[in-house]
Amino acid sequence: MLRGYSSILQLQSPTTLFFVSAIWFTWIQKRKQKRDVAAKKSCMNGSSVGLSSRTVLKPTVSYWNGFLLCLQNPCDAEANPEGHIALCLAENKLVQETLANRLMLPGTAQTAFSDEVVYSYNGFLGLPEARQAAAYFLARRFLLARGGGGDVRRQSSSSSELVEPETTPETAAMMINPEHVSLGAGCASLLNNLFFTLAEKGDAVLIPAPYYAAFENDMQAVAGCVPYAVQMENPMNGPTTNDLNAAFEKATKEGLRVKMLLLTNPNDPLGVIYMPHVIYDAVFWARERQLHTVVDEIYALSVHHQVNNFRSVIHILENNLENDVHMLWGLSKDFGASGFRVGVLYTQNENLLAALANLNIFSGVSHPMQMITAELLKDDDFVDSFLLDARAQLNWSYTICTRKLEEMVIPYVPAEAGLFVYADFSSVLPEQTFDGEARFASFMQDVARVVMTPGQSQRDRKPGMFRICYTWVSPGVLEIAMERLSCVVAKIRRYHWDNLDSIILDDVAKGRILLGIRRTPSINLAELVNP
């Protein structure tokens, strides 16, 4: 900075020294100002020393803050009927008591902590016993299942009687190799590791839209992959080769390298089950282009009817996944146990498994939880009974939700599986844009105190689509939520958006509509098991 003034300094005149001192002082002040600005920016980002450029600061999903409001002031049908209600989280709380009762048996605690293996390091793909139990479960509930929903019954060749196939952990291991099974801290962590291992930063992943909102975070946060929506001609039927071709060509023209195809079956948020030929055609379309296919079957056992069209990709491909098809399932949805953080990956790609054996040190499942999971997955009598009861509970809440939607004249996609209904509120938006959708969502959160999953976060092309997750709350609270929605929709239709004011909405905000709720008639759960 001062090197150019060396000859001047030699003069040592008072004027010169003053001039140089002024320049020096000004330079020091400017440097200090720059540092102060940088420090303020750093503090705004949450750290006095700053964060890396890789840091993800935004919430996983756009509606997360609304969900947190529901946790702070949850509605209770008796104790707090005016509280907030979360219909935005796909979690099955209806079955948690049944699962808890099973896991609180004294023998289960002994299973979790009595073996010295749970206290030590082991392979990070999972304990041998847990991987064997998961292989058995996949063989019995996915590979051999004929009617979906984990129903493994088949018709005897000599009579019309339905009998159970002979499946033991030993015979299952002959069908699904436990060495091809990996456990991880939920399906999100397994997906993250798959994207990180199978694709490069900037590679595109094709996903039929609308799709689960958090998929984008799963592939972007660490792996840096690009989610690319496949817009379908008929979303309820699933992606066709024409749909996939159009998305592939469009992504390529945009300079993206497509590396993977991600399918969800049963579909989230539509709640539909893809016919087997849809999955088959999509897999072979991807194989022709040397793409990996990941099939997320996390709702496979949450089917609404005992007889249905669900077939696992394991079954469809006759267990020949080769190196390019990877199947996921977990405890989060079908068993209502997202807090357990247990996901299962089945892949026949041994190089991938070797890579995951390294990565899983950051996202493994605790050994006691692995032992509990192994015991649970091998308890056929409990699982059979549990899934039967869960199906009845699903149908009960689904009926409450859809009856009210029909009363409101709000169209919806008839669900075959999953924990949600995909409903079309476009007719009551203030404007037919995603800004209008956001305004409606905010209005419902503030006035009705109900939070749903907006379609824009799921990359739907049509504004006004919302996912209603009806199993996160009890049937009683669900009735309150649906009545609030109905009340607000009725007021929007009557007064229109320009004429709504606090007086008109006062009965909704203060919960006085609860006095007029028409309770859903008592439903016989036994009748809903096999509707």
Side-chain angles (χ1 to χ4, degrees), residues 77 94 393 396-397 400 470 473-481 519-520:
L94 305 176
Q393 299 278 5
W396 183 355
S397 290
I400 292 173
Y470 52 78
V473 295
S474 68
V477 172
L478 179 62
E479 287 185 320
I480 293 173
R519 294 285 179 186
T520 303

Side-chain angles (χ1 to χ4, degrees), residues 8 96 107 113 126 147 171 176 232 264 271-272 311 321 331 347 355-356 360 393 403 454 472-473 477 509-510 531:
I8 299 176
Q96 289 177 351
F113 298 104
T171 58
I176 292 186
M232 296 178 282
T264 308
V272 299
R311 300 293 183 274
L321 304 189
L331 296 183
T347 177
L356 294 177
N360 252 20
Q393 299 278 5
R403 280 181 182 175
W472 199 81
V473 295
V477 172
K510 293 186 176 180

Side-chain angles (χ1 to χ4, degrees), residues 410-411 423-432 440 462-466:
I410 294 294
D424 182 358
F425 287 88
S426 60
S427 64
V428 291
L429 296 185
E431 57 183 65
Q432 295 301 310
F440 177 81
K462 180 179 181 179
M465 303 301 298
F466 284 84

